Amino acid sequence: MDKLTEVRNRGIAEARNGLSRLRDAATARLSDERGSALAAVLVLVVLLTMVGVAMVNSTFTEISVAYNAGDTASAQYAAEAGLSRAIYELSQNAGWTGTTAAIGTGQYVVTVTSSGLIRSITSTGTQGGGRRVLKAAVKTLSQSAVSTVLANTTATVGSPSAGLTVSNDYPSSAASAVHANNKLSAPTAVTINTAGASVVGGLTANGVITGVGCPTWAWTCNASAGVRAMPEIDVDSAATTSLKYRAQHTNDPVDGKPLYFKGGDTSRCNSGSPWIFTSTQQCWDYYVNSKSGTLGSGITNPVFFVEFTAATESTTYATGGGGGGGSITTNLPIVIRGRCAGGYNGAGSGGANQCGSGGQNTLTIGRPAGVVSGDLLVAAISVRSANPSTPSGWTLVWCGNSGSSSGGSTCPVSSTVSLAVYWKVAGASEPSTYSGWTTTQKAAGVITAYYNVNTSTPIDVQNGTGYTSSVTSLSTPSITTAVANTMLVASFGAADGTDPAFGTSVASMPAGMTDEWDKNGSVSSGSASGAAHGAMFDAIQDSIGATGQKTVTMSSSAVGVAHLLALKPATATVATSSGGSAPTFRAASSAATTVSCGSPCISLTISAPAGVVNGDVMIANIVASGTTSTIQAPAGWTLIRRTTSDMTLITVSYLEQAVYYRVAAGEPANYAWTSTGTGGSMAGGISAYSGVDTTTPVDVENVEWVAAVPNYANTSLPAPSVVTTVANDLLVASFAATLNGSPPPALTGPAGWNSRYSATYNIEAQSSDLVQATAGLTAAIRAIAPSTRGQGFGHLLALKPAGGTTVTCGGSTYTETLCIRATPAGSYSSSVPTAVTGAIVSFRRVSGTSVSGDIVFQNTASASANYAHTYQGSDPALLAAGKISMISSGASAGRTSTSITGIVYTFAGSDNPDGNSNLQGIGNPGFDLQHGANGITLTLSGLLLSNGSISLQDTGGTGTATIQYNRTVVENLPAAFTTSTAGSFMIPLSWSSGD
């Protein structure tokens, strides 16, 4: 028995050390978790422990245990010794898996299994014929993050005003001391102002702690625990576990877009209307508004990752009543620059080069007026009894003839007529004329210049056909476009024993198209049998799909060829902004006259629109004809654009359009306009609008001239599309035209538009308007003529809505800073977050270890609703590459609580890990709390870490601020935080015993 007694006493001594630690920790845990199921388990643990160690602790309840069986008793002691060994080993190495060891004449076998942070321990003691088994479960907690506040340089806690509490949620100072085994690698000074700070539990520093005596702390100053650096966290690597990657690959289930916010990024912020934002803050506010302030609901472990575009990007932006602002990538509107035609002219004027003078022995076509580098030229060449050639620099699109219904990439010789279509990108120096198409006199052609065409692949789709027998109309094949906003170009060639003319009536025109020119080329003797005829028509097709056939009727039957192509538009990214409510129409007035005001002078008087008030914006559309002239405006009118007819074309008479605006301010009864021309007339109108931006009223504008073709063929006048940049622009179209004969019925505005006036004399002026709610490319429009017209203009402008709101962050402007709002952002009435689940991250890697991105909480006193933010999984609640600021003061507008549960982590501008992925301290500010709002309880429950300095101060008022260590949060730290080489804390969970 002496030997057994010795073994027993040794086991008792070892068990006392291990079990007393478990019992003390369990007791501390029980005090904190009163009434819980865990408490009941731990009570049972203690009671069962008493059974095994009645001789160890005199306070245990005396339990009758049969110790007569010596082997069984010795086995019990051996099992207890094994359990004590396991607790010690796990505290040193959380990955320890067990061992077998002799104790006296007996032994213990310990096995440890792991599940997350849980370690399940089985200790089996044997002695002779005796066998006892003890089981325990504990949770391992890394020593790397156990203090409430960890600052990697300096921490200032408290101020002269009371109201700040920094606490540890362990149940007692003694229990807190058990967990006070952490220090920082960079020397940290902690300054405590006890007048304004209540410290419960304690803080840790690897430097000087001032402001409070060591005895008041829960542990001794400068304890001997090993120094640990602050661990790094993977924010933006390419790993699928990084915060950025997860945000970019986790979609909000409602809008289907990722939780990644960056101005201009096409995954969310610039993914299409209404998501058209270049401002990162506005994109965030719009999202919060769309969620009515509740973020993360229904999303598993969401990470809201905010990455500003540059260090200069401001939190301040302009907003209004539109869908948003930012940028859009859009098709550009293809617009006609000019045109020219040519044909042999040995007998009369019909075949002359229409951009010059005199006859040519072979086909020569002048350069369209105004051509600039990058324009796309399209040529349609009609040749009789010859094979068209491809001049240098031109690309053949298609060639066909009347001998076959099909065509292609070569031009076979035809005894009747061939049609070849070409394109060319204008260079920096274009010749004044183009030739080389053919050496025969029997040829005619048209060249039209377009801009905003995709010059890399200009042709979207094309096809043509030939007519082998005489017909009175020619129809192109229908083609199917693959992109939107194409320019359709229809080309025709014809020849027979008479001179066929195209488009001589409304019914004979290709529906909805513009006649750019139609041209006849005859032989030198003037014989009609040698004629070749060519024509080109065009129009925008907004939608993708089938074009339908384009048909032209001829004045006499002939064989011919027809071709249709679609030009592909160029694209561009355009900055946009939201606007206020759309401008509204006030009134309009118009007039037409030939009244002389001298020589040379024509005068036009237009009344002020009825009801005009100061601040209204008026748009004037003034048209003049006659000899070359210049329209003169009354004082106070600003010219938007003046356009004149292309006088390089032969037989074109002079026509001028001038469009002006004026901001009303004490208006006269009427306005007198004059023209310096003679022998002509004037017409015009004024439309007045309210709710227009009076500083820069015009968002965008453009004009297109419709040529005066020889047969007055055109029956509609297009205005070019434009790309608006502000939501709720008001589009104002101004048309002008010359008449064919006596005044016919007036022009009508585009279908679906609001017609405001139509003034008709020998010339006419018409205006219509329409609101465009979303910024972007406008639809193609045309003013419709009930009968054929001569030349004309179509002008389109967009009036910007008045005002809009400049949004700041509580009156302050920050750069590269996410504003967590307390008051709504302009028209985004629900942009104040109130309930957040998950992580909010503001982070941009500048270069190397330099990082940027701050978070500022707008003054919480101005909020009307509470804010509750809770982490999920093992993610932080808040993370900033720079600093986080929470500064408040004044009386509450309704909020009583701002609560954040989780890790708050800041890099202070530097991501500078050492070889062990531990951050090294930097002197930059990392967290700044200055809480002075009245009646608001501010609580940060979790863990506050910064690679820089931390300042926690209550600056007065009746509110309170509590920075509280939260074990639940810390026990779910990310892997980078929980990896520990300095040991772990053991939190007991369960205990059992048996054979």
Side-chain angles (χ1 to χ4, degrees):
M1 287 298 294
D2 290 343
K3 182 66 173 177
L4 179 59
T5 300
E6 177 182 351
V7 171
R8 174 178 162 220
N9 290 342
R10 185 184 307 135
I12 290 172
E14 292 183 20
R16 176 182 293 117
N17 290 333
L19 295 176
S20 62
R21 292 183 215 168
L22 280 172
R23 185 178 63 250
D24 290 346
T27 302
R29 185 74 172 192
L30 281 168
S31 299
D32 185 45
E33 307 281 1
R34 294 182 180 90
S36 67
L38 178 61
V41 172
L42 293 178
V43 169
L44 180 60
V45 169
V46 174
L47 291 176
L48 291 176
T49 302
M50 292 177 182
V51 174
V53 293
M55 308 253 336
V56 177
N57 193 334
S58 61
T59 64
F60 283 10
T61 304
E62 209 47 53
I63 300 176
S64 178
V65 178
Y67 284 100
N68 294 332
D71 285 351
T72 301
S74 295
Q76 173 76 20
Y77 303 144
E80 292 172 356
L83 187 59
S84 178
R85 169 79 178 273
I87 297 298
Y88 170 76
E89 295 291 353
L90 287 172
S91 71
Q92 302 302 303
N93 176 13
W96 190 72
T97 59
T99 189
T100 299
I103 178 169
T105 58
Q107 72 170 11
Y108 55 77
V109 178
V110 179
T111 60
V112 179
T113 58
S114 301
S115 178
L117 299 178
I118 306 301
R119 303 294 182 267
S120 298
I121 307 167
T122 300
S123 177
T124 304
T126 57
Q127 168 69 41
R131 181 177 181 276
R132 298 293 289 173
V133 178
L134 297 177
K135 296 182 179 181
V138 297
K139 178 177 283 189
T140 61
L141 176 62
S142 169
Q143 296 180 13
S144 64
V146 295
S147 294
T148 310
V149 177
L150 300 179
N152 222 0
T153 49
T154 61
T156 301
V157 180
S159 59
S161 301
L164 175 72
T165 299
V166 179
S167 67
N168 191 312
D169 72 344
Y170 284 96
S172 65
S173 294
S176 296
V178 173
H179 297 272
N181 196 26
N182 182 70
K183 289 185 178 181
L184 303 176
S185 61
T188 300
V190 179
T191 300
I192 310 296
N193 187 331
T194 54
S198 173
V199 179
V200 179
L203 303 172
T204 299
N206 192 29
V208 179
I209 301 175
T210 61
V212 63
C214 287
T216 68
W217 290 86
W219 54 85
T220 58
C221 294
N222 299 320
S224 60
V227 172
R228 285 188 53 77
M230 231 173 68
E232 199 183 20
I233 186 170
D234 187 356
V235 181
D236 66 334
S237 80
T240 58
T241 54
S242 77
L243 298 180
K244 181 176 180 178
Y245 184 95
R246 287 169 52 200
Q248 290 176 323
H249 294 82
T250 301
N251 289 348
D252 185 299
V254 176
D255 62 26
K257 301 181 187 300
L259 305 181
Y260 176 69
F261 301 84
K262 182 178 182 180
D265 183 79
T266 56
S267 65
R268 170 179 287 279
C269 292
N270 190 27
S271 56
S273 181
W275 295 95
I276 44 176
F277 304 99
T278 53
S279 165
T280 303
Q281 179 69 51
Q282 187 174 12
C283 181
W284 169 263
D285 288 340
Y286 189 78
Y287 176 75
V288 175
N289 184 74
S290 73
K291 309 303 291 185
S292 298
T294 300
L295 308 185
S297 177
I299 308 174
T300 302
N301 298 336
V303 176
F304 302 96
F305 197 102
V306 179
E307 182 175 6
F308 288 87
T309 58
T312 56
E313 187 181 352
S314 175
T315 300
T316 299
Y317 60 88
T319 185
S327 67
I328 55 173
T329 299
T330 180
N331 290 333
L332 294 177
I334 299 178
V335 184
I336 297 147
R337 178 85 69 187
R339 78 287 295 148
C340 189
Y344 175 73
N345 183 18
S349 62
N353 170 9
Q354 292 300 307
C355 300
S357 61
Q360 290 82 38
N361 291 324
T362 58
L363 178 63
T364 300
I365 305 174
R367 181 184 66 230
V371 166
V372 299
S373 178
D375 285 355
L376 189 92
L377 309 181
V378 177
I381 307 299
S382 177
V383 180
R384 184 158 184 176
S385 303
N387 187 6
S389 301
T390 302
S392 176
W394 290 83
T395 299
L396 178 65
V397 177
W398 183 90
C399 187
N401 60 56
S402 58
S404 172
S405 61
S406 62
S409 58
T410 60
C411 287
V413 176
S414 171
S415 60
T416 50
V417 66
S418 297
L419 176 69
V421 179
Y422 307 85
W423 65 266
K424 181 184 192 298
V425 177
S429 178
E430 286 296 302
S432 59
T433 60
Y434 302 100
S435 59
W437 319 103
T438 179
T439 58
T440 181
Q441 298 174 346
K442 305 172 184 180
V446 182
I447 297 176
T448 302
Y450 304 89
Y451 60 94
N452 291 338
V453 180
N454 182 332
T455 54
S456 298
T457 54
I459 309 300
D460 178 34
V461 62
Q462 59 85 27
N463 200 6
T465 187
Y467 287 79
T468 59
S469 59
S470 292
V471 292
T472 57
S473 65
L474 301 174
S475 295
T476 71
S478 176
I479 56 178
T480 301
T481 60
V483 297
N485 313 118
T486 55
M487 175 68 80
L488 304 182
V489 181
S491 301
F492 299 92
D496 209 339
T498 60
D499 183 6
F502 294 154
T504 58
S505 68
V506 174
S508 65
M509 289 284 294
M513 301 192 85
T514 301
D515 188 351
E516 291 302 335
W517 209 269
D518 52 88
K519 183 65 184 166
N520 176 54
S522 61
V523 297
S524 58
S525 64
S527 171
S529 63
H533 200 87
M536 183 181 289
F537 303 82
D538 52 32
I540 291 289
Q541 175 161 305
D542 288 321
S543 60
I544 296 172
T547 63
Q549 292 180 304
K550 306 302 177 183
T551 301
V552 65
T553 301
M554 298 178 288
S555 59
S556 60
S557 62
V559 294
V561 191
H563 180 267
L564 182 63
L565 64 79
L567 295 179
K568 187 185 301 182
T571 61
T573 299
V574 179
T576 63
S577 62
S578 54
S581 298
T584 57
F585 173 71
R586 173 84 66 188
S589 58
S590 62
T593 185
T594 57
V595 175
S596 174
C597 52
S599 182
C601 181
I602 305 171
S603 176
L604 173 68
T605 300
I606 304 176
S607 300
V612 167
V613 299
N614 290 348
D616 284 356
V617 171
M618 294 179 286
I619 301 296
N621 172 27
I622 310 299
V623 188
S625 66
T627 60
T628 301
S629 64
T630 300
I631 296 171
Q632 304 292 326
W637 289 84
T638 299
L639 180 67
I640 297 172
R641 185 185 287 260
R642 182 190 310 278
T643 314
T644 62
S645 51
D646 180 4
M647 297 300 291
T648 63
L649 290 168
I650 295 173
T651 72
V652 171
S653 60
Y654 184 84
L655 186 69
E656 177 182 352
Q657 180 194 50
V659 180
Y660 302 83
Y661 81 86
R662 174 184 173 93
V663 179
E667 294 308 293
N670 51 59
Y671 310 94
W673 309 80
T674 61
S675 169
T676 58
T678 58
S681 58
M682 294 183 73
I686 302 172
S687 295
Y689 300 93
S690 63
V692 180
D693 184 336
T694 57
T695 303
T696 54
V698 178
D699 176 20
V700 63
E701 58 85 29
N702 203 0
V703 71
E704 189 172 297
W705 177 63
V706 175
V709 294
N711 55 16
Y712 275 62
N714 283 306
T715 59
S716 62
L717 299 172
S721 297
V722 295
V723 177
T724 64
T725 66
V726 182
N728 288 333
D729 272 0
L730 180 71
L731 305 179
V732 180
S734 299
F735 296 97
T738 58
L739 304 182
N740 182 14
S742 60
L747 280 171
T748 58
W753 284 53
N754 304 300
S755 182
R756 300 307 181 187
Y757 60 80
S758 184
T760 303
Y761 200 72
N762 294 325
I763 55 176
E764 59 188 326
Q766 199 279 338
S767 183
S768 300
D769 57 47
L770 186 73
V771 172
Q772 169 124 335
T774 303
L777 182 62
T778 64
I781 59 170
R782 286 176 176 267
I784 307 301
S787 61
T788 58
R789 293 296 199 266
Q791 61 176 317
F793 302 100
H795 181 271
L796 183 64
L797 62 81
L799 292 177
K800 293 193 295 186
T805 303
T806 299
V807 177
T808 63
C809 186
S812 298
T813 294
Y814 303 90
T815 55
E816 200 160 2
T817 300
L818 176 64
C819 179
I820 305 297
R821 299 201 176 278
T823 56
S827 61
Y828 306 145
S829 59
S830 298
S831 56
V832 177
T834 54
V836 180
T837 302
I840 295 178
V841 178
S842 177
F843 192 95
R844 179 176 67 90
R845 186 168 297 279
V846 179
S847 63
T849 60
S850 177
V851 293
S852 294
D854 298 341
I855 297 176
V856 62
F857 281 75
Q858 185 185 348
N859 184 5
T860 56
S862 57
S864 59
N866 291 341
Y867 177 86
H869 186 162
T870 305
Y871 77 106
Q872 266 198 355
S874 59
D875 297 324
L878 292 170
L879 185 147
K883 65 179 181 296
I884 295 177
S885 301
M886 303 182 74
I887 300 172
S888 63
S889 63
S892 172
R895 177 174 291 187
T896 59
S897 172
T898 295
S899 173
I900 301 172
T901 300
I903 301 165
V904 176
Y905 191 102
T906 68
F907 283 76
S910 180
D911 177 17
N912 57 354
D914 60 16
N916 296 317
S917 294
N918 295 317
L919 292 178
Q920 308 305 298
I922 189 170
N924 299 334
F927 189 90
D928 185 12
L929 171 67
Q930 299 178 41
H931 184 53
N934 293 333
I936 298 178
T937 299
L938 188 151
T939 304
L940 302 183
S941 179
L943 190 63
L944 177 57
L945 304 98
S946 177
N947 197 34
S949 63
I950 290 177
S951 176
L952 305 176
Q953 300 182 59
D954 188 287
T955 56
T958 58
T960 62
T962 300
I963 316 299
Q964 176 175 302
Y965 180 88
N966 185 308
R967 284 169 297 155
T968 304
V969 171
V970 177
E971 289 169 13
N972 288 280
L973 287 172
F977 285 58
T978 54
T979 303
S980 172
T981 56
S984 301
F985 303 126
M986 299 294 105
I987 299 176
L989 300 179
S990 64
W991 176 284
S992 65
S993 65
D995 293 334

